[in-house]
Amino acid sequence: MANKDDKFKKVIAHAKEYGYVFQSSEIYDGLSAVYDYAQNGVELKKNIRDYWWKAMVQMNENIVGIDAAIFMHPTTWKASGHVDAFNDPLIDNKDSKKRYRADVLIEDYCAKIEGKIEKEVKKAAKRFGDAFNKEEFLSTNSRVLGYQENIHRILSRMAKSLEQEDLADVKALIEELGIADPMTGSKNWTDVKQFNLMFGTKLGASADNAMDLYLRPETAQGIFVNFANVQKTGRLKIPFGIAQTGKAFRNEIVARQFIFRMREFEQMEMQFFIKPGTQQKWYEHWKETRMKWHLSLGMGEDNYRFHDHEKLAHYADAAADIEFKFPFGFKELEGIHSRTDFDLKAHQEHSGKKLQFFDPEENKSYVPYVLETSIGLDRMFLAVFSNALIDETLEDGSIRTVLRLPAVLAPVKAAIFPLVKKDGLPDMAREIVEELKWDFNVIYDEKDAVGKRYRRQDAAGTPFCITVDHDTLEDHSVTIRYRDTMAQKRVKINALRDIIKQEVDVKFWLMKM
Ligand code: ATP
């Protein structure tokens, strides 16, 4: 795979070819930044959601789940600050007529400087060999320090200007840095403007008394407005969490990165309600816990990093992203936010209802603080899928395309083949399908030579292939082939369930946390 763009194009093409992700309404030429999950995609997405839900809700006595509606009372969004502050700064290029997010242009500029740092590290690692100490190099090398200082200077100036709504300075920064339209190279920019990302709609039949609503831009507010109901009916004591997965909608200014940035997407969020003053401890706890969840999937420690926010959202007193190395570089995958009591207090004020917790130990009521973990399900899908897709050169020099999905997430766990389409082998294979389908998603395939069927399942991400041959009829044994190693073993049919279960079991994976 020659370069980043090629790799990303290959990911998108593969997602389509193997029934994972399709452009929405493709027969009408699609809809920008809206995608549909196909027969395999829907299973992978469901498995990721389940993996998250089990880790967050099932495994934690003090975290419960809800499923709030997408429509919410419009005052919700006034209270949350979304009506006034859920904006992105946009800028147009006058020559190309292309629209960009001003902050993203500046961040991408800094990412290029990061790239230079990475190059210096690689060069030095080569020069020093085993004696190379990356940490030390990063903190002492004068060129690297210069780059870091530059990044810091640019990002803090941007953060300050955005916070003070000084959009003229954001434009000035873009001009000073000489940032050009990435598509055309033109530097002929308009002024920077704010753009609200919420989609509006109407509730009610007649035009006169229809109510203006928004499609929720995040799932979190559904949790805040249900805080008191869940706390009371669940008799929950602080600290406790409420988790939710569901659709969110944002009218993104630029959405050109497949399912990384969509206009309709799904979030998996958890709000953890805590005693005021304990937020630092819980912030560290959830940063660490969420990183462990990611690492449990075995997608490579080097592919993750934390990024602390320079610019804090209006509700936060600390925030960090877990970034993942996507085909187009390190980008946000999940956010961990210390949201203080901003949301509950605001809803209390706007609704006139008490959103407090009576702490029996302290013998007083207070508005709890909130620690939030928020991950995009589609972004996680892209992380898993793009990381799994590999072109592997085999010993004989041929190339094998394999989708090394973590077995726990794979849409289909096993494909069962009769070696040939006769002599009773298809019946035997179908019997195995009938037995295994109670526990796993399995499929039957008899088309083409076995070698070709193996390759098809490798590319589709199926961890096991099971082949029934003539000996099977005599000894009730089959050949099981492992996707990643291509190793083959002869095993009894009645051992299949346990062999597969061991590798696809959520417990086996989550125990690594
Ligand atoms: P970004 O800076 O990339 O726009 P954000 O900081 O606005 O993201 P949050 O509001 O913190 O994102 O949302 C939490 C998570 O939801 C993100 O980490 C991301 O995984 C996911 N997410 C946000 N916007 C989108 C989108 N348009 N498409 C897909 N996933 C998204």
Side-chain angles (χ1 to χ4, degrees), residues 14 18 20 402-407 410-413 456-464 483:
H14 198 87
Y18 285 86
Y20 277 86
V402 50
L403 192 62
R404 288 173 181 261
L405 297 172
V412 174
K413 305 303 186 198
R456 195 153 57 224
Q457 294 306 323
D458 288 345
T462 309
F464 298 102
R483 177 196 65 199

Side-chain angles (χ1 to χ4, degrees), residues 89 103 158-167 170 311:
D103 55 334
M158 177 178 87
K160 199 164 149 224
S161 321
L162 286 174
E163 207 171 289
Q164 296 174 344
E165 293 271 323
D166 185 356
L167 299 179
V170 178
K311 173 189 171 229

Side-chain angles (χ1 to χ4, degrees), residues 366-463:
Y366 54 77
V367 178
Y369 268 41
V370 171
L371 225 291
E372 164 182 86
T373 72
S374 173
I375 173 169
L377 175 48
D378 313 86
R379 251 183 223 188
M380 183 64 193
F381 184 112
L382 182 60
V384 170
F385 191 88
S386 59
N387 186 257
L389 186 61
I390 288 166
D391 273 345
E392 200 179 65
T393 309
L394 301 180
E395 270 175 22
D396 65 2
S398 65
I399 303 277
R400 174 174 86 124
T401 299
V402 50
L403 192 62
R404 288 173 181 261
L405 297 172
V408 65
L409 303 181
V412 174
K413 305 303 186 198
I416 295 105
F417 311 150
L419 184 63
V420 290
K421 272 192 265 185
K422 55 182 185 185
D423 306 332
L425 303 189
D427 292 343
M428 191 66 153
R430 290 236 181 248
E431 250 178 57
I432 296 176
V433 169
E434 286 306 309
E435 185 50 37
L436 290 179
K437 79 180 186 191
W438 290 96
D439 293 295
F440 316 110
N441 207 1
V442 294
I443 55 160
Y444 173 85
D445 187 8
E446 59 175 25
K447 198 169 168 286
D448 301 318
V450 163
K452 211 163 172 192
R453 280 181 262 169
Y454 282 155
R455 289 302 174 82
R456 195 153 57 224
Q457 294 306 323
D458 288 345
T462 309

Side-chain angles (χ1 to χ4, degrees), residues 60-117:
N60 289 299
E61 219 176 296
N62 60 350
I63 300 181
V64 296
I66 62 163
D67 182 16
I70 287 170
F71 291 143
M72 298 183 69
H73 193 282
T75 309
T76 308
W77 306 109
K78 189 75 197 147
S80 69
H82 283 80
V83 172
D84 297 319
F86 195 53
N87 303 317
D88 275 343
L90 70 80
I91 188 164
D92 290 308
N93 187 281
K94 289 186 198 161
D95 297 328
S96 70
K97 311 274 181 258
K98 294 252 177 269
R99 177 158 282 188
Y100 294 93
R101 252 172 74 176
D103 55 334
V104 170
L105 285 177
I106 295 168
E107 278 165 10
D108 285 351
Y109 180 89
C110 292
K112 280 196 192 129
I113 309 179
E114 287 260 0
K116 289 186 187 164
I117 297 179

